[in-house]
Amino acid sequence: MTQTAVQVKEDKLQSLREYMQTVKDKPYPESYLIEILHKVQDVFGYLPREMMDEVAHTLEIPTAHIWGVATFYHHFNREPIGKHVVSICMGTACYVKGASAVLETLKKELGIEVGKTTPDGLFTLREARCLGACGIAPVIMVDEKIYGQLDTKKTIDIINQYRKAAAVEQTAAGAESRRGKP
Amino acid sequence: MANKRFTLTCCDGSSCLRNQARQVRQALEEELERQQLRQDVEIHLSGCVGMCSKGPILIVNPGYIMYGNLRPEDAVEIVQKHLVEGEPVSRLVISEDHLFNRFYRIFGDSEFFGRQMRIALRNCGIVDPEKLDDYLAMRGYEALARVLTEMTPQQVIEEVKKSGLRGRGGAGFPTGLKWEYTARQPESEKYVICNADEGDPGAFMDRSAIEGDPHTILEGMIIGGYAIGSHQGIIYIRAEYPLAVKRLQKAIEDARREGLLGERILGSDFSFDIRICLGAGAFVCGEETAMIHSIEGYRGMPRPRPPYPSVSGLFGKPTLINNVETWANIPVVIIEGAKWFSSIGTATSKGTKVFALAGKVHNTGLIEVPMGTTLREIIFGIGGGIPNGKKFKAVQTGGPSGGCLPEQYLDTQIDYESLTKAGSIMGSGGMIVIDEDSCMVKMAKFFIEFTQDESCGKCTPCREGTKRMLEILTRITKGDGRPGDIEKLERLGMMIQKASLCGLGQSAPNPILSTIRNFRDEYEEHIHQKKCRAHECTALLSFIIQDNCVGCGACKRVCPVNAISGNRKEKHVISQQLCIKCGQCYLACKFNAIAKE
C-alpha cells in the first residue's frame, strides 16, 4: 500500500472513532449501528473482529448482537476482499438478457468461483441482486461503476482495463519507493 | 400594485395574425401604458405556437398561462385582473401550466414520451438534481410554502384523501387514510419514513426518481411530517444506490441551508429534519416492520401486524411509511389540487404509475403512465414491441411478488384491482417483457430462488416452503420432474400464501402459481416429455454441431468430459451419450455452429 493510502485509511478510522463518540449520546444510539458497520467496511473493506469489539465497547452494545446484525445483511464482508469487487447483476432483466453467459466468462477469466478473491488480491467476484440498471442489461458493477450491455468480449476488456491500471499503479509505486531509498 | 416583471409572449404566426393578433397586442400595449406598467412588462413576439385553431394566443409568464381566442377588448381585463391583481382570467385561459407539461416542452411529443404522463417524474431529466435553484424554478417547495402558510394539518390530510392517491409501493393502501391514522395518535414523538429500499429484481423506479429529482421526495416528506405532527423523517435507502444517496445528502444539506429543513421551516413554527439510513442488502427490509427493525439497529425481520406502524412503529412510536413514488406525488397533489389529481386514472386508482420497463422490448427505461393505460399500449406503444421479430410470451409485473400475464391479458387496464384480478399485482412497478425464448418454468424458478434466498427465516412456511418449492422446480428443470409435481406446487403455494408472516412469504408463490395457471402446458412438457420449448433448460436439450462448423476445435478444448471429436478443419461431432449438457461448447463456439435442440 502506498504512503497516501495508509494516511487516508488512518484519517477515515479517526473520523469513524469520532463519529462513534458523537452517536453514543444521541437518542437511540443502536439505530446508528448499521451506519457504523458501513463505515467500518469502508475503512477496512470488511468487518475485522477487533474493530467489532471496539464498536461494541464504545456503543455499549453486546458483540454478539453486532455480529447478529452483521451476518443478517448480505452487504457486510467478514473476510478481506479484493481491490476491486466485481458484482454481476443476477436480476430478472439481466437474467433474461444473458447474465449467466457473462458470469461464466467472468469465472473463466478470473479463474475463481463466485464469492472468492483472485490469488493476486485484485478481484473479488460476487453475484448481486438487481443493480437497477435493467435498461442496459446485462450489467456488472466494478466497485461503484456500472458497465452495461455486456457480451463476452466487452466483459474481458473491462477486466483487462483494471488489470492494466493496477499494473501501472504498481510500477509507479515501485518507482516511488526506489526514489525514496538513499 | 404589480411591481413584478411579467413576460407576455404573443403568437405572431400568420394564423393568429389573421385573427387580429396585432390588434390584440396593440390593445395590450395601450392598456399597459395607461396603467403605467409598461416598464414592468416585457412583450415578445413568437413564431407559431401551434395552437392555430385557438388564435390569437398569448402566453403570460411566470406561470405559463396560455390565453386563446382573444379579442382586442379582452386586453383591459387581462391587464387589470392578471397583471395587476395577480389572478389569471380563467374564462380566457386555454391551457394552464400543469407541472408535468414542462416535460413535453423539452422532450416533445414522441411515441415514447407522448403516451406518458409524468407526475412523479415530472422533473427527472429537466432539473439538475444537485441544484436546489433548478428545483425552485420548477415550482419546487411551493407546495410546502402553501401548506405551511395556508393549510392546517387536517386540511392537508383531507386534500390527500380526496386526491385518491394510493401507496405506490405495491399494496395500494389509500395514502390519505394512512396519514389520518398516524395523525390521530396522541403521542408527540412520531416518525416519517421514506421507503427507498427498492429490492425487486428488475425495478429501478425509486433509484431514478431520487437520482433525478431528490428535492421532490424531501418536500413530500416535510409536508407529510407537518400533516401528522412529526419532526423527524428517515429515508431508508439501499446501500447499492451510491449516487442516489449522494444526491439525497446534497439535497438535504442544501435544503437545511435555505431554511427548508430544520428548525422553524420557512419562518413557521414547524420544525422537521431528515436523516438517511442505509440498508445493507436485505430484500425483506422493504417490508415495513422489517425496515423498522433495521433502522432500529436490529436484524431486519418482520413482526406480525397489528399493531400497524401508524400506531406503533419506529421505537414504538406512531410512524408514517410511504414509498418514494408516493412521496413524489404529494407536492403535485397540493399544487394542482386533489380535484385535478383525481381526474386522472380509473375509478379506483387515481393518478399515474411509474414502471421500469425492461426485458425483451425495443425501448427499455422508466415510464410513467396514467392509471388505466393498457399493458398493450405500454409494451407495443411506448416500449415499441419485441425486438428481433420474436413473439411476445408474457409480461411479468410486480417482481418476485407478482405474476406473469400472457397475451390474452394484454388489454388489461393498469390499476390495482384489474391487475390483481388478472392474477398478478401492481407491485412497486417492475415490468419485464418476456419473449418466446424464455422458459416460464425457469422464470418461476428464478423468482423462487430469489425469495428463498431472501427469506429471513423467521416463519416456517416461508423459510421451509420456498425451499421445497425450489427443490421441486429445480428437479423439473433438470428433467427429473414427476407426475403430481404441479399439484404439489399448487398446494404448497397456497399454504405459503396463507400462513406466512409477512408480505415476502405471502407473495412468494405468486410467480409459480401464475405461471402454472397460464403456462401449465409448459410445466407438463417439462415433466412428461422432458422438453423445454424455449431451449432454456439445458438439461432437457441436446447440443448439436451444425454444418457451418469450421473445425477450430474450441469446443473440443472446453468440453470437460471429452464428448466432442473431430479432426482439425473438419466438422466436429458431440457424442450425446457422453455429453453432460453443461453448455460450455455453446459458449465457446465463435461461429454459432452449435445448436440447441
Side-chain angles (χ1 to χ4, degrees), chain B residues 417-431:
Chain B
E417 282 73 23
S418 310
L419 282 174
T420 310
K421 221 174 106 201
S424 185
I425 60 162
M426 175 80 84
S428 58
M431 186 178 284

Side-chain angles (χ1 to χ4, degrees), chain A residues 28 30-35 38 65 68-69 71-76 90-93 95-97 101 104 108 129-135 141 144 146, chain B residues 189 191 201-202 204 207 238-239 242 275 278-282 285 294-300 315 358-360 364 432 442 446-447 450 453-454 584 587:
Chain A
Y28 312 112
E30 326 83 69
S31 74
Y32 294 87
L33 177 60
I34 292 175
E35 196 175 334
H38 273 294
H65 173 79
V69 171
T71 51
F72 183 82
Y73 297 96
H74 298 301
H75 187 82
F76 298 121
M90 297 306 268
T92 321
Y95 166 78
V96 168
K97 288 247 176 150
E104 283 311 312
K108 209 155 63 176
R129 291 294 171 216
C130 184
L131 297 172
C134 311
M141 182 161 85
E144 288 185 358
I146 288 190
Chain B
E189 191 182 333
Y191 293 94
F204 51 103
R207 172 191 193 142
R238 297 178 77 193
R275 171 185 151 197
L278 285 186
C285 289
S294 181
I295 297 173
E296 288 171 345
Y298 295 94
R299 293 164 73 94
F315 310 123
K360 303 283 184 67
T364 56
I432 291 150
K442 212 169 164 191
F446 168 81
F447 280 117
F450 177 83
D453 195 30
E454 291 293 347
Q584 289 295 317
L587 293 173

Side-chain angles (χ1 to χ4, degrees), chain B residues 216-501:
Chain B
T216 302
I217 317 296
L218 303 187
E219 188 178 0
M221 288 178 73
I222 305 168
I223 294 171
Y226 175 75
I228 66 154
S230 157
H231 303 291
Q232 181 66 52
I234 290 162
I235 301 175
Y236 188 88
I237 183 167
R238 297 178 77 193
E240 287 91 332
Y241 288 177
L243 182 64
V245 173
K246 192 184 122 208
R247 293 208 167 136
L248 272 176
Q249 269 160 350
K250 170 99 174 44
I252 290 174
E253 281 162 27
D254 289 350
R256 273 193 199 131
R257 199 177 47 241
E258 299 298 325
L260 295 160
L261 261 184
E263 296 293 314
R264 303 179 63 86
I265 292 173
L266 294 173
S268 68
D269 290 332
F270 175 63
S271 303
F272 189 78
D273 210 346
I274 294 177
R275 171 185 151 197
I276 296 175
C277 218
L278 285 186
F283 177 66
V284 69
C285 289
E287 200 279 340
E288 54 185 16
T289 58
M291 172 174 295
I292 286 169
H293 284 148
S294 181
I295 297 173
E296 288 171 345
Y298 295 94
R299 293 164 73 94
M301 287 181 169
R303 61 157 175 80
R305 296 176 305 180
Y308 286 91
S310 54
V311 177
S312 171
L314 188 61
F315 310 123
K317 307 293 177 194
T319 304
L320 172 63
I321 305 180
N322 279 132
N323 160 274
V324 169
E325 194 186 331
T326 315
W327 289 120
N329 273 299
I330 296 296
V332 183
V333 168
I334 301 293
I335 291 186
E336 307 282 5
K339 205 172 145 209
W340 176 81
F341 191 87
S342 62
S343 70
I344 305 158
T346 65
T348 55
S349 308
K350 302 298 185 189
T352 56
K353 178 77 194 84
V354 180
F355 287 98
L357 186 59
K360 303 283 184 67
V361 274
H362 270 293
N363 309 322
T364 56
L366 212 61
I367 61 162
E368 182 169 354
V369 289
M371 298 277 189
T373 309
T374 63
L375 289 166
R376 189 186 299 279
E377 282 174 82
I378 294 181
I379 297 164
F380 291 92
I382 298 169
I386 318 290
N388 306 325
K390 298 279 182 183
K391 222 174 135 277
F392 170 86
K393 189 174 200 173
V395 53
Q396 211 280 344
T397 67
S401 318
C404 289
L405 299 177
E407 203 165 359
Q408 66 261 36
Y409 291 105
L410 270 178
D411 292 308
T412 304
Q413 288 198 334
I414 302 247
D415 69 24
Y416 295 96
E417 282 73 23
S418 310
L419 282 174
T420 310
K421 221 174 106 201
S424 185
I425 60 162
M426 175 80 84
S428 58
M431 186 178 284
I432 291 150
V433 181
I434 299 159
D435 71 2
E436 54 189 331
D437 284 349
S438 295
C439 165
M440 301 316 287
V441 183
K442 212 169 164 191
M443 192 65 150
K445 179 176 155 239
F446 168 81
F447 280 117
I448 203 73
E449 235 169 1
F450 177 83
T451 28
Q452 188 266 321
D453 195 30
E454 291 293 347
S455 170
C456 76
K458 185 168 179 172
C459 72
T460 321
C462 174
R463 183 186 65 235
E464 302 298 327
T466 54
K467 190 136 194 142
R468 295 291 91 77
M469 286 185 107
L470 177 60
E471 280 168 9
I472 297 174
L473 282 173
T474 307
R475 101 175 156 231
I476 294 177
T477 54
K478 286 223 166 104
D480 300 325
R482 304 169 198 158
D485 271 353
I486 300 179
E487 291 71 23
K488 213 176 262 175
L489 281 172
E490 284 175 327
R491 214 176 61 235
L492 252 174
M494 228 103 81
M495 286 195 291
I496 298 170
Q497 275 180 335
K498 290 222 164 75
S500 292
L501 177 60

Side-chain angles (χ1 to χ4, degrees), chain A residues 123-137:
Chain A
F123 297 102
T124 298
L125 182 59
R126 285 221 187 116
E127 278 182 18
R129 291 294 171 216
C130 184
L131 297 172
C134 311
I136 49 169

Side-chain angles (χ1 to χ4, degrees), chain B residues 24 27-28 31 68-80 89 91-92:
Chain B
V24 170
L28 279 168
E31 182 61 21
N69 300 319
L70 293 180
R71 295 282 144 259
E73 51 273 26
D74 296 328
V76 178
E77 193 179 352
I78 289 176
V79 172
Q80 181 60 35
V89 186
R91 134 187 108 79
L92 299 168

